[in-house]
Amino acid sequence: MYIDTHLHLDEPWLSDENHRQKAIHDITKHQIITFAQSCDIKSYKKILEYSEQSEFIFPSFGILPWYAHEYVDRFEEVRELCEEALMLGEIGLDEKNARDKACIPHQRPLFEIFLETAEKHDMILNLHFRGTEDEGFEILNSYNVKKPIFHFYSGSLDLMEKINDKGYYYSMGQMNLERVLGEPKDPIIDKIRKIPDDLLLLEIDVLPRGQNFEVPSIVFVNIVNNIAKIRNTTSEEIEALNQKNVVKLVGNDPKLKKIIRLMESVPKT
Ligand SMILES: [Zn+2]
Protein backbone atom coordinates (compact mmCIF):
# COMPACT_ATOMS: atom_id res chain seq x y z
CA MET A 1 0.00 0.00 0.00
CA TYR A 2 1.06 3.57 -0.58
CA ILE A 3 1.92 5.87 2.30
CA ASP A 4 2.66 9.49 1.52
CA THR A 5 4.28 11.20 4.50
CA HIS A 6 4.09 14.76 3.14
CA LEU A 7 1.40 16.15 0.84
CA HIS A 8 -0.14 19.57 0.28
CA LEU A 9 -3.85 19.64 -0.38
CA ASP A 10 -4.18 23.38 0.06
CA GLU A 11 -2.64 26.78 -0.69
CA PRO A 12 -0.10 27.81 -1.71
CA TRP A 13 0.45 24.64 -3.75
CA LEU A 14 -3.03 23.39 -4.50
CA SER A 15 -5.67 25.99 -5.16
CA ASP A 16 -7.75 24.37 -7.91
CA GLU A 17 -10.84 22.94 -6.21
CA ASN A 18 -11.46 20.48 -9.02
CA HIS A 19 -7.92 19.12 -8.71
CA ARG A 20 -8.23 18.97 -4.94
CA GLN A 21 -11.41 16.91 -5.13
CA LYS A 22 -9.82 14.58 -7.68
CA ALA A 23 -6.83 14.16 -5.37
CA ILE A 24 -8.97 13.40 -2.31
CA HIS A 25 -11.10 10.94 -4.29
CA ASP A 26 -7.95 9.22 -5.58
CA ILE A 27 -6.47 8.98 -2.06
CA THR A 28 -9.60 7.18 -0.88
CA LYS A 29 -9.95 4.97 -3.95
CA HIS A 30 -6.32 3.84 -3.83
CA GLN A 31 -6.20 3.79 -0.03
CA ILE A 32 -3.14 6.05 0.19
CA ILE A 33 -2.40 6.89 3.81
CA THR A 34 -1.56 10.58 3.55
CA PHE A 35 0.05 12.93 6.06
CA ALA A 36 -1.54 16.19 4.89
CA GLN A 37 0.71 19.13 5.72
CA SER A 38 -0.39 22.62 6.59
CA CYS A 39 1.48 25.90 6.06
CA ASP A 40 -0.39 28.17 8.48
CA ILE A 41 -3.45 28.15 10.74
CA LYS A 42 -5.82 28.90 7.87
CA SER A 43 -4.58 25.98 5.78
CA TYR A 44 -4.63 23.69 8.84
CA LYS A 45 -8.35 24.39 9.31
CA LYS A 46 -8.94 23.50 5.67
CA ILE A 47 -6.87 20.32 6.01
CA LEU A 48 -9.03 19.34 9.01
CA GLU A 49 -12.08 19.66 6.75
CA TYR A 50 -10.49 17.63 3.95
CA SER A 51 -9.58 14.90 6.42
CA GLU A 52 -13.32 14.52 7.10
CA GLN A 53 -13.72 13.53 3.45
CA SER A 54 -11.32 10.59 3.58
CA GLU A 55 -10.28 8.28 6.38
CA PHE A 56 -6.88 8.03 4.70
CA ILE A 57 -6.04 11.71 5.22
CA PHE A 58 -4.23 12.53 8.48
CA PRO A 59 -3.92 16.26 9.15
CA SER A 60 -0.62 17.70 10.32
CA PHE A 61 -0.38 21.12 11.97
CA GLY A 62 2.47 23.37 10.91
CA ILE A 63 3.38 26.90 9.97
CA LEU A 64 5.94 27.44 7.23
CA PRO A 65 8.86 29.53 8.51
CA TRP A 66 8.10 32.06 5.75
CA TYR A 67 5.06 33.18 7.72
CA ALA A 68 6.66 33.23 11.19
CA HIS A 69 6.35 37.03 11.61
CA GLU A 70 2.58 36.82 11.17
CA TYR A 71 2.32 34.68 14.31
CA VAL A 72 4.34 36.70 16.80
CA ASP A 73 1.18 37.67 18.72
CA ARG A 74 -0.45 34.25 18.35
CA PHE A 75 2.02 31.95 20.07
CA GLU A 76 -0.56 30.77 22.63
CA GLU A 77 -3.00 29.86 19.88
CA VAL A 78 -0.21 28.03 18.06
CA ARG A 79 0.71 26.16 21.22
CA GLU A 80 -2.90 25.04 21.76
CA LEU A 81 -3.23 23.81 18.18
CA CYS A 82 0.05 21.90 18.55
CA GLU A 83 -1.34 20.20 21.65
CA GLU A 84 -4.48 19.07 19.82
CA ALA A 85 -2.79 17.99 16.59
CA LEU A 86 -2.21 14.41 15.45
CA MET A 87 1.22 15.29 14.15
CA LEU A 88 3.25 18.42 13.46
CA GLY A 89 4.55 20.01 10.25
CA GLU A 90 5.61 21.44 8.21
CA ILE A 91 7.78 23.64 10.35
CA GLY A 92 11.42 24.67 10.44
CA LEU A 93 13.84 27.34 9.32
CA ASP A 94 14.19 28.84 5.87
CA GLU A 95 15.98 32.06 5.09
CA LYS A 96 16.72 31.14 1.50
CA ASN A 97 13.19 31.00 0.13
CA ALA A 98 11.56 33.51 2.46
CA ARG A 99 9.91 36.15 0.31
CA ASP A 100 9.43 38.52 3.24
CA LYS A 101 12.68 38.67 5.21
CA ALA A 102 10.73 40.03 8.22
CA CYS A 103 10.01 36.40 9.12
CA ILE A 104 13.65 35.49 9.79
CA PRO A 105 14.08 36.62 13.42
CA HIS A 106 10.77 34.97 14.36
CA GLN A 107 11.41 31.56 12.82
CA ARG A 108 13.31 30.02 15.69
CA PRO A 109 10.89 30.98 18.53
CA LEU A 110 8.01 29.60 16.47
CA PHE A 111 9.93 26.43 15.63
CA GLU A 112 10.67 25.89 19.32
CA ILE A 113 6.96 25.79 20.21
CA PHE A 114 6.63 22.82 17.87
CA LEU A 115 9.80 21.20 19.22
CA GLU A 116 8.56 21.52 22.81
CA THR A 117 5.24 19.91 21.92
CA ALA A 118 6.88 17.15 19.86
CA GLU A 119 9.18 16.36 22.78
CA LYS A 120 6.34 16.39 25.31
CA HIS A 121 4.07 14.04 23.35
CA ASP A 122 6.61 12.14 21.23
CA MET A 123 5.02 13.44 18.02
CA ILE A 124 5.94 13.15 14.37
CA LEU A 125 7.53 16.38 13.17
CA ASN A 126 7.77 17.17 9.44
CA LEU A 127 10.71 19.53 8.99
CA HIS A 128 11.37 22.16 6.37
CA PHE A 129 14.97 23.41 6.30
CA ARG A 130 16.40 25.21 3.28
CA GLY A 131 19.97 26.37 3.66
CA THR A 132 19.54 26.05 7.43
CA GLU A 133 20.06 22.31 7.84
CA ASP A 134 23.12 22.56 10.11
CA GLU A 135 21.52 25.10 12.41
CA GLY A 136 18.24 23.19 12.37
CA PHE A 137 20.01 19.97 13.27
CA GLU A 138 21.71 21.65 16.25
CA ILE A 139 18.44 23.09 17.55
CA LEU A 140 16.73 19.74 17.06
CA ASN A 141 19.41 18.05 19.14
CA SER A 142 18.76 20.36 22.05
CA TYR A 143 15.34 18.68 22.35
CA ASN A 144 14.52 15.05 22.96
CA VAL A 145 12.56 14.61 19.74
CA LYS A 146 12.50 11.08 18.38
CA LYS A 147 10.36 11.36 15.27
CA PRO A 148 11.65 14.21 13.16
CA ILE A 149 11.48 13.88 9.38
CA PHE A 150 13.83 15.91 7.19
CA HIS A 151 11.40 16.66 4.40
CA PHE A 152 13.12 16.83 1.00
CA TYR A 153 16.56 16.92 2.58
CA SER A 154 18.68 19.62 0.97
CA GLY A 155 21.68 19.84 3.31
CA SER A 156 25.19 18.48 2.86
CA LEU A 157 26.34 14.87 2.61
CA ASP A 158 28.55 15.49 5.67
CA LEU A 159 25.59 16.46 7.81
CA MET A 160 23.82 13.29 6.71
CA GLU A 161 26.41 11.26 8.65
CA LYS A 162 25.28 12.96 11.86
CA ILE A 163 21.59 12.73 11.01
CA ASN A 164 21.99 9.03 10.28
CA ASP A 165 23.74 8.50 13.62
CA LYS A 166 20.83 10.16 15.40
CA GLY A 167 18.35 7.98 13.50
CA TYR A 168 16.26 10.86 12.18
CA TYR A 169 14.10 10.18 9.13
CA TYR A 170 14.19 11.59 5.61
CA SER A 171 11.21 11.88 3.28
CA MET A 172 12.07 11.98 -0.38
CA GLY A 173 9.96 12.13 -3.50
CA GLN A 174 8.70 14.98 -5.58
CA MET A 175 11.72 16.63 -7.14
CA ASN A 176 11.35 15.92 -10.80
CA LEU A 177 13.21 12.65 -10.51
CA GLU A 178 12.92 11.95 -14.22
CA ARG A 179 15.10 14.96 -14.91
CA VAL A 180 17.51 13.97 -12.13
CA LEU A 181 17.84 10.46 -13.56
CA GLY A 182 19.03 12.02 -16.80
CA GLU A 183 21.75 13.85 -14.88
CA PRO A 184 23.56 11.25 -12.82
CA LYS A 185 25.79 13.90 -11.24
CA ASP A 186 22.88 15.73 -9.65
CA PRO A 187 23.67 15.99 -5.90
CA ILE A 188 20.24 14.66 -4.98
CA ILE A 189 21.26 11.24 -6.35
CA ASP A 190 24.04 10.87 -3.74
CA LYS A 191 21.72 12.03 -0.99
CA ILE A 192 19.03 9.50 -1.90
CA ARG A 193 21.67 6.76 -1.92
CA LYS A 194 23.10 7.82 1.42
CA ILE A 195 19.83 7.41 3.35
CA PRO A 196 19.92 4.19 5.39
CA ASP A 197 17.17 1.69 4.59
CA ASP A 198 15.58 2.13 8.00
CA LEU A 199 15.29 5.93 7.73
CA LEU A 200 13.81 6.37 4.26
CA LEU A 201 10.25 7.63 3.85
CA LEU A 202 8.36 8.62 0.70
CA GLU A 203 6.51 11.83 -0.02
CA ILE A 204 4.72 13.51 -2.89
CA ASP A 205 4.87 17.02 -1.35
CA VAL A 206 3.36 18.99 -4.24
CA LEU A 207 1.14 17.56 -6.99
CA PRO A 208 1.86 18.74 -10.54
CA ARG A 209 -0.15 21.84 -11.30
CA GLY A 210 -2.21 23.20 -14.19
CA GLN A 211 -2.27 21.14 -17.38
CA ASN A 212 0.22 18.69 -15.88
CA PHE A 213 -1.99 17.75 -12.92
CA GLU A 214 -1.88 14.10 -11.95
CA VAL A 215 -3.60 12.32 -9.08
CA PRO A 216 -1.53 11.08 -6.11
CA SER A 217 -1.66 7.38 -7.09
CA ILE A 218 0.04 8.14 -10.43
CA VAL A 219 2.62 10.51 -8.95
CA PHE A 220 3.44 8.11 -6.12
CA VAL A 221 4.14 5.17 -8.44
CA ASN A 222 6.59 7.32 -10.40
CA ILE A 223 8.36 8.35 -7.21
CA VAL A 224 8.66 4.75 -6.02
CA ASN A 225 10.02 3.63 -9.41
CA ASN A 226 12.52 6.47 -9.66
CA ILE A 227 13.83 6.07 -6.12
CA ALA A 228 14.20 2.33 -6.77
CA LYS A 229 16.29 3.09 -9.87
CA ILE A 230 18.50 5.54 -7.97
CA ARG A 231 19.06 3.06 -5.14
CA ASN A 232 19.56 0.12 -7.53
CA THR A 233 16.72 -1.90 -6.10
CA THR A 234 13.13 -2.81 -6.92
CA SER A 235 10.02 -0.73 -6.51
CA GLU A 236 8.58 -3.43 -4.24
CA GLU A 237 11.58 -3.12 -1.96
CA ILE A 238 11.26 0.68 -1.74
CA GLU A 239 7.57 0.47 -0.97
CA ALA A 240 8.16 -2.21 1.66
CA LEU A 241 10.84 -0.07 3.34
CA ASN A 242 8.49 2.91 3.41
CA GLN A 243 5.73 0.85 5.05
CA LYS A 244 8.06 -0.68 7.59
CA ASN A 245 9.51 2.70 8.50
CA VAL A 246 6.08 4.28 8.87
CA VAL A 247 5.10 1.53 11.33
CA LYS A 248 8.23 2.32 13.33
CA LEU A 249 7.63 6.07 13.10
CA VAL A 250 4.02 5.82 14.28
CA GLY A 251 5.07 3.47 17.09
CA ASN A 252 2.64 3.33 19.98
CA ASP A 253 1.20 6.79 19.48
CA PRO A 254 -2.41 6.38 20.69
CA LYS A 255 -3.58 9.21 18.40
CA LEU A 256 -2.27 7.39 15.34
CA LYS A 257 -3.50 3.85 15.99
CA LYS A 258 -5.82 4.20 13.02
CA ILE A 259 -2.83 4.34 10.65
CA ILE A 260 -1.66 0.92 11.79
CA ARG A 261 -5.20 -0.40 11.64
CA LEU A 262 -5.62 0.81 8.06
CA MET A 263 -2.26 -0.70 7.11
CA GLU A 264 -3.36 -4.05 8.51
CA SER A 265 -6.74 -3.98 6.78
CA VAL A 266 -5.57 -3.00 3.30
CA PRO A 267 -4.35 -5.95 1.21
CA LYS A 268 -0.63 -5.85 0.42
CA THR A 269 0.21 -4.44 -3.00
ZN1 LIG B 1 5.78 20.76 1.96
Side-chain angles (χ1 to χ4, degrees):
M1 93 179 290
Y2 301 153
I3 307 171
D4 175 1
T5 62
H6 189 118
L7 180 71
H8 291 280
L9 285 169
D10 192 47
E11 307 272 3
W13 289 293
L14 182 50
S15 41
D16 185 314
E17 187 58 35
N18 180 35
H19 288 170
R20 179 170 19 255
Q21 289 307 320
K22 279 187 178 157
I24 295 172
H25 179 76
D26 180 76
I27 286 168
T28 309
K29 186 177 165 202
H30 293 274
Q31 303 177 306
I32 308 171
I33 292 174
T34 300
F35 298 180
Q37 305 300 300
S38 52
C39 299
D40 56 17
I41 291 181
K42 197 168 143 235
S43 77
Y44 178 54
K45 303 241 158 112
K46 297 239 191 84
I47 298 296
L48 289 174
E49 281 173 34
Y50 306 146
S51 70
E52 299 284 312
Q53 291 184 49
S54 174
E55 61 171 337
F56 291 90
I57 296 176
F58 293 84
S60 181
F61 173 55
I63 297 172
L64 265 181
W66 310 341
Y67 310 130
H69 56 305
E70 295 169 21
Y71 287 90
V72 179
D73 301 326
R74 299 175 73 182
F75 276 11
E76 266 324 295
E77 189 183 354
V78 170
R79 201 179 292 280
E80 279 165 26
L81 289 169
C82 281
E83 285 285 334
E84 292 163 12
L86 289 182
M87 54 179 91
L88 302 172
E90 64 186 285
I91 183 72
L93 305 168
D94 182 354
E95 300 183 7
K96 206 164 114 191
N97 299 331
R99 275 151 253 183
D100 187 343
K101 301 294 175 201
C103 67
I104 293 171
H106 305 291
Q107 290 185 359
R108 182 168 175 165
L110 181 70
F111 180 31
E112 297 209 54
I113 297 175
F114 287 79
L115 285 165
E116 282 162 21
T117 320
E119 178 181 85
K120 190 169 152 198
H121 301 296
D122 196 16
M123 289 167 89
I124 295 173
L125 191 60
N126 243 293
L127 296 169
H128 171 113
F129 298 129
R130 298 290 177 268
T132 46
E133 286 78 8
D134 291 88
E135 187 193 348
F137 178 73
E138 288 306 319
I139 298 172
L140 195 56
N141 286 337
S142 64
Y143 289 83
N144 184 17
V145 175
K146 299 191 192 75
K147 300 174 175 181
I149 304 170
F150 282 76
H151 141 65
F152 184 36
Y153 179 73
S154 50
S156 68
L157 287 169
D158 283 347
L159 180 63
M160 286 185 79
E161 304 275 348
K162 297 182 195 167
I163 295 174
N164 295 351
D165 285 348
K166 292 294 285 186
Y168 298 154
Y169 296 87
Y170 302 83
S171 62
M172 298 307 254
Q174 191 271 347
M175 64 198 62
N176 203 349
L177 287 171
E178 264 94 10
R179 180 190 59 75
V180 170
L181 280 166
E183 293 173 38
K185 289 209 166 59
D186 194 296
I188 196 73
I189 302 263
D190 291 333
K191 288 174 196 170
I192 291 176
R193 287 186 178 146
K194 204 176 165 75
I195 300 173
D197 280 352
D198 61 342
L199 302 178
L200 174 69
L201 298 169
L202 303 178
E203 64 168 30
I204 289 178
D205 190 13
V206 177
L207 290 165
R209 281 169 279 185
Q211 297 281 336
N212 298 323
F213 176 77
E214 300 259 32
V215 288
S217 59
I218 304 280
V219 178
F220 198 85
V221 171
N222 285 335
I223 288 168
V224 172
N225 292 343
N226 288 331
I227 289 189
K229 274 185 214 158
I230 292 170
R231 288 173 68 99
N232 294 318
T233 182
T234 61
S235 304
E236 290 73 20
E237 172 70 16
I238 292 298
E239 229 197 291
L241 285 179
N242 185 46
Q243 290 177 30
K244 201 169 135 197
N245 294 336
V246 168
V247 170
K248 193 157 56 82
L249 177 76
V250 168
N252 294 322
D253 190 332
K255 283 183 181 173
L256 300 178
K257 269 186 187 154
K258 196 176 137 199
I259 292 179
I260 305 294
R261 207 167 357 105
L262 285 173
M263 287 180 76
E264 285 164 356
S265 66
V266 172
K268 294 259 179 301
T269 48

Coordinates of all heavy atoms in Angstrom, one line a residue, residues 172 177 181 192-193 200 202 220-241:
M172 N 11.6 11.6 1.0 CA 12.1 12.0 -0.4 C 11.0 11.6 -1.4 O 10.2 10.7 -1.2 CB 13.4 11.3 -0.8 CG 14.5 11.6 0.1 SD 14.9 13.4 0.4 CE 16.3 13.6 -0.6
L177 N 12.2 13.7 -10.5 CA 13.2 12.6 -10.5 C 13.6 12.2 -11.9 O 14.7 11.7 -12.2 CB 12.8 11.5 -9.7 CG 12.8 11.7 -8.1 CD1 12.2 10.6 -7.4 CD2 14.2 11.9 -7.7
L181 N 17.3 11.7 -13.1 CA 17.8 10.5 -13.6 C 18.6 10.7 -14.8 O 19.6 9.9 -15.1 CB 16.7 9.5 -13.8 CG 16.2 8.8 -12.6 CD1 14.9 8.1 -12.8 CD2 17.2 7.7 -12.0
I192 N 20.0 10.6 -1.9 CA 19.0 9.5 -1.9 C 19.7 8.2 -1.6 O 19.2 7.3 -0.9 CB 18.2 9.5 -3.2 CG1 17.3 10.7 -3.2 CG2 17.4 8.2 -3.3 CD1 16.5 10.8 -4.5
R193 N 20.9 8.0 -2.1 CA 21.7 6.8 -1.9 C 22.2 6.7 -0.5 O 22.5 5.6 0.0 CB 22.8 6.7 -2.9 CG 22.3 6.4 -4.3 CD 23.4 6.1 -5.3 NE 22.9 5.8 -6.6 CZ 23.4 6.1 -7.7 NH1 24.6 6.7 -7.8 NH2 22.8 5.8 -8.9
L200 N 14.4 5.8 5.5 CA 13.8 6.4 4.3 C 12.3 6.4 4.3 O 11.7 5.3 4.6 CB 14.3 5.5 3.1 CG 13.7 5.9 1.7 CD1 14.1 7.3 1.2 CD2 14.0 4.8 0.7
L202 N 8.7 8.1 2.0 CA 8.4 8.6 0.7 C 7.3 9.7 0.8 O 6.5 9.7 1.7 CB 7.8 7.5 -0.2 CG 8.7 6.3 -0.4 CD1 8.0 5.3 -1.3 CD2 10.0 6.7 -1.1
F220 N 2.7 8.9 -7.1 CA 3.4 8.1 -6.1 C 4.2 6.9 -6.8 O 5.3 6.6 -6.4 CB 2.5 7.6 -5.1 CG 3.1 7.1 -3.8 CD1 3.5 8.0 -2.8 CD2 3.4 5.8 -3.6 CE1 4.1 7.6 -1.7 CE2 4.1 5.3 -2.5 CZ 4.4 6.2 -1.5
V221 N 3.5 6.3 -7.7 CA 4.1 5.2 -8.4 C 5.4 5.6 -9.1 O 6.4 5.0 -9.1 CB 3.2 4.6 -9.5 CG1 3.9 3.5 -10.4 CG2 2.0 3.9 -8.8
N222 N 5.4 6.8 -9.8 CA 6.6 7.3 -10.4 C 7.7 7.5 -9.4 O 8.9 7.2 -9.7 CB 6.3 8.7 -11.1 CG 5.5 8.4 -12.4 OD1 5.6 7.4 -13.0 ND2 4.8 9.4 -12.8
I223 N 7.3 8.1 -8.2 CA 8.4 8.4 -7.2 C 9.0 7.0 -6.8 O 10.2 6.9 -6.7 CB 7.7 9.1 -6.0 CG1 7.4 10.6 -6.4 CG2 8.6 9.1 -4.8 CD1 6.5 11.3 -5.5
V224 N 8.2 6.1 -6.5 CA 8.7 4.7 -6.0 C 9.6 4.2 -7.1 O 10.7 3.7 -6.8 CB 7.5 3.8 -5.7 CG1 8.0 2.4 -5.5 CG2 6.7 4.2 -4.6
N225 N 9.2 4.2 -8.3 CA 10.0 3.6 -9.4 C 11.3 4.4 -9.6 O 12.4 3.7 -9.7 CB 9.3 3.7 -10.8 CG 8.1 2.7 -10.8 OD1 8.0 1.8 -9.9 ND2 7.2 2.9 -11.7
N226 N 11.3 5.7 -9.5 CA 12.5 6.5 -9.7 C 13.5 6.3 -8.5 O 14.7 6.2 -8.7 CB 12.2 8.0 -9.9 CG 11.6 8.2 -11.2 OD1 11.9 7.5 -12.2 ND2 10.7 9.2 -11.3
I227 N 12.9 6.3 -7.3 CA 13.8 6.1 -6.1 C 14.4 4.7 -6.2 O 15.6 4.5 -5.9 CB 13.1 6.4 -4.8 CG1 12.9 7.9 -4.7 CG2 13.9 5.9 -3.6 CD1 12.3 8.5 -3.5
A228 N 13.7 3.7 -6.6 CA 14.2 2.3 -6.8 C 15.4 2.3 -7.8 O 16.4 1.7 -7.5 CB 13.1 1.4 -7.2
K229 N 15.2 3.0 -8.9 CA 16.3 3.1 -9.9 C 17.5 3.7 -9.3 O 18.6 3.2 -9.4 CB 15.8 3.9 -11.1 CG 15.1 3.1 -12.1 CD 14.8 4.0 -13.3 CE 13.5 3.6 -13.9 NZ 12.9 4.7 -14.7
I230 N 17.4 4.8 -8.6 CA 18.5 5.5 -8.0 C 19.2 4.7 -6.9 O 20.4 4.7 -6.9 CB 18.0 6.9 -7.3 CG1 17.6 7.8 -8.4 CG2 19.1 7.5 -6.5 CD1 16.9 9.1 -7.9
R231 N 18.5 3.9 -6.2 CA 19.1 3.1 -5.1 C 19.4 1.6 -5.6 O 19.7 0.8 -4.8 CB 18.1 3.0 -3.9 CG 18.2 4.4 -3.1 CD 17.1 4.4 -2.0 NE 17.4 3.5 -0.9 CZ 18.0 3.9 0.2 NH1 18.4 5.1 0.4 NH2 18.2 3.0 1.2
N232 N 19.3 1.4 -6.9 CA 19.6 0.1 -7.5 C 18.8 -1.0 -6.9 O 19.4 -2.0 -6.5 CB 21.1 -0.2 -7.5 CG 21.8 0.8 -8.4 OD1 21.4 1.1 -9.5 ND2 22.9 1.3 -7.9
T233 N 17.5 -0.8 -6.7 CA 16.7 -1.9 -6.1 C 15.4 -1.9 -6.8 O 15.2 -1.3 -7.8 CB 16.6 -1.7 -4.6 OG1 15.8 -2.8 -4.0 CG2 15.9 -0.4 -4.2
T234 N 14.4 -2.7 -6.3 CA 13.1 -2.8 -6.9 C 12.1 -1.9 -6.3 O 12.3 -1.4 -5.1 CB 12.6 -4.2 -6.8 OG1 12.4 -4.5 -5.4 CG2 13.5 -5.3 -7.4
S235 N 11.1 -1.6 -7.0 CA 10.0 -0.7 -6.5 C 9.4 -1.4 -5.3 O 9.0 -0.7 -4.3 CB 9.0 -0.5 -7.6 OG 9.6 0.0 -8.7
E236 N 9.2 -2.7 -5.4 CA 8.6 -3.4 -4.2 C 9.4 -3.2 -3.0 O 8.8 -3.0 -1.9 CB 8.5 -4.9 -4.6 CG 7.5 -5.3 -5.6 CD 8.0 -5.0 -7.0 OE1 9.2 -4.8 -7.2 OE2 7.1 -4.9 -7.9
E237 N 10.7 -3.3 -3.1 CA 11.6 -3.1 -2.0 C 11.4 -1.7 -1.4 O 11.3 -1.5 -0.1 CB 13.0 -3.4 -2.4 CG 14.1 -3.1 -1.4 CD 14.2 -4.0 -0.2 OE1 13.6 -5.1 -0.3 OE2 14.8 -3.7 0.8
I238 N 11.4 -0.7 -2.2 CA 11.3 0.7 -1.7 C 9.9 0.9 -1.0 O 9.9 1.5 0.1 CB 11.4 1.7 -2.9 CG1 12.8 1.7 -3.5 CG2 11.0 3.1 -2.5 CD1 13.9 2.1 -2.5
E239 N 8.9 0.3 -1.6 CA 7.6 0.5 -1.0 C 7.5 -0.3 0.4 O 6.9 0.2 1.3 CB 6.5 -0.1 -1.9 CG 5.4 0.8 -2.1 CD 4.2 0.1 -2.7 OE1 4.3 -0.3 -3.9 OE2 3.2 -0.1 -2.0
A240 N 8.1 -1.4 0.4 CA 8.2 -2.2 1.7 C 8.9 -1.5 2.8 O 8.5 -1.4 3.9 CB 8.8 -3.6 1.4
L241 N 10.0 -0.8 2.4 CA 10.8 -0.1 3.3 C 10.0 1.1 3.9 O 10.0 1.3 5.1 CB 12.1 0.5 2.7 CG 13.3 -0.4 2.4 CD1 14.4 0.4 1.7 CD2 13.8 -1.0 3.6

